[in-house]
Amino acid sequence: MAVSETFLAHHALVNGIDIYYEDYHSQASAPVFILLHGFLSSSFSFRKLIPLLSKDFRVISVDLPPFGRSGKSKKYRYTYENMAKTVLGLLDYLSIDQIYAAGHSMGGQIVMNMMLQRPNCIKKAILLCSSSYLPKAKTPIILSSYLPFFNRYVKYYLGKTGVLGNLENVVFDKALINDDMVNGYMEPFHEDHIFSALTRMLRQREGDLPKTSLQMITTHCLLIWGDQDRVVPLHIGERLANDLPHSELVVLNGAGHLVPEEMPMQVYSEIKSFIND
């Protein structure tokens, strides 16, 4: 499925770091829909969903630092709170007041942080197999991250399974994996700077939002989960739906963790119904 021909790529300096984003224009008055990808991913993960959403929305897909084509600065603070602040800063840069937002996996944590920081910004939120309830890294790992050349260990660790192995873990139907998919997810890791940034992220990342914070979110949320998700299992989605006061959970049978790739039509249909309700 080809992406919209009206796609424009942009860079903006926001919160001290270079942010890459893709802007897919629909009609001038179309509402804005922000897409935030997961860990070790980029805007590429929404390539099948964007053509569907861009029929009804102005879609802006953001590469979260240090991933994709966004900056990998050694000065940036790679916490979820700061990433959320950065995306909100991008909206200010674009003079956008209100949006719909979807976050996949780690991107879901960023969306939830955004809803806490600026409650009236997001009209409705879609959390796709959202990362939830993960604690911060253990103290020995955080201390080890200060060792010289620790970034080489991060590169080695991620390279053990490789992109293909990671895709086989996040996709239920392995037949969906092809060369284009492997190359697209591999592209951000051709640059060694990302491993130093990932070391900083490992050191700085706070834990996922606790129940007390989740219960403060007043935005209506749609949770979409694959019943075969091995990365963030369905019971996590059920727990999250229980802790978010205004939420509903939809389960896609025969889908794994990478639902925007595996079932884009079903995801789009659920999003449309949720927003139009």
Side-chain angles (χ1 to χ4, degrees), residues 34-51:
I34 296 287
L35 295 174
L36 300 179
H37 62 81
F39 185 66
L40 301 180
S41 189
S42 69
S43 293
F44 181 81
S45 63
F46 294 115
R47 62 196 173 114
K48 295 180 181 179
L49 189 57
I50 287 171

Side-chain angles (χ1 to χ4, degrees), residues 19 21 24 51 54 133 143 176 220 238 258 267:
I19 295 296
Y21 64 97
Y24 298 82
S54 61
Y133 308 107
L143 294 176
L176 292 173
H220 287 265
E238 293 168 341
L258 204 55
V267 170

Side-chain angles (χ1 to χ4, degrees), residues 18 23 36 48 54-55 58 72 75 96 120 133 155-156 166 176-177 197-198 206 210 229 247 249 252:
D18 177 50
D23 197 340
L36 300 179
K48 295 180 181 179
S54 61
K55 293 183 293 185
R58 175 187 175 187
K72 294 146 182 64
K75 297 180 180 180
I96 296 172
N120 296 324
Y133 308 107
K155 182 176 182 179
Y156 166 76
N166 288 330
L176 292 173
I177 302 173
L198 285 173
E206 72 275 50
D229 191 339
S247 65
L249 173 65
L252 301 181

Side-chain angles (χ1 to χ4, degrees), residues 15 76-89 109-114 116-117 204-209:
N15 196 19
Y76 185 78
R77 187 161 180 80
Y78 294 97
T79 63
Y80 292 157
E81 181 182 12
N82 199 38
M83 289 183 190
K85 179 182 176 182
T86 303
V87 177
L88 291 170
Q109 272 295 312
I110 310 304
V111 169
M112 288 189 282
N113 272 268
M114 290 170 64
L116 284 173
Q117 290 181 31
Q204 296 169 348
R205 182 191 67 85
E206 72 275 50
D208 290 347
L209 291 172

Side-chain angles (χ1 to χ4, degrees), residues 29-36 53 56-62 87 91 96-103 111 114-115 120-127 219-222 271-277:
S29 60
V32 177
F33 204 115
I34 296 287
L35 295 174
L36 300 179
L53 288 172
D56 309 294
F57 303 94
R58 175 187 175 187
V59 178
I60 298 176
S61 186
V62 181
V87 177
L91 295 179
I96 296 172
D97 295 323
Q98 285 197 317
I99 60 169
Y100 295 101
V111 169
M114 290 170 64
M115 290 188 286
N120 296 324
C121 175
I122 298 178
K123 300 177 190 176
K124 289 187 176 182
I126 295 89
L127 306 174
T219 308
H220 287 265
C221 299
L222 172 66
I271 290 174
K272 281 284 288 180
S273 297
F274 174 64
I275 288 177
N276 292 334
D277 186 6

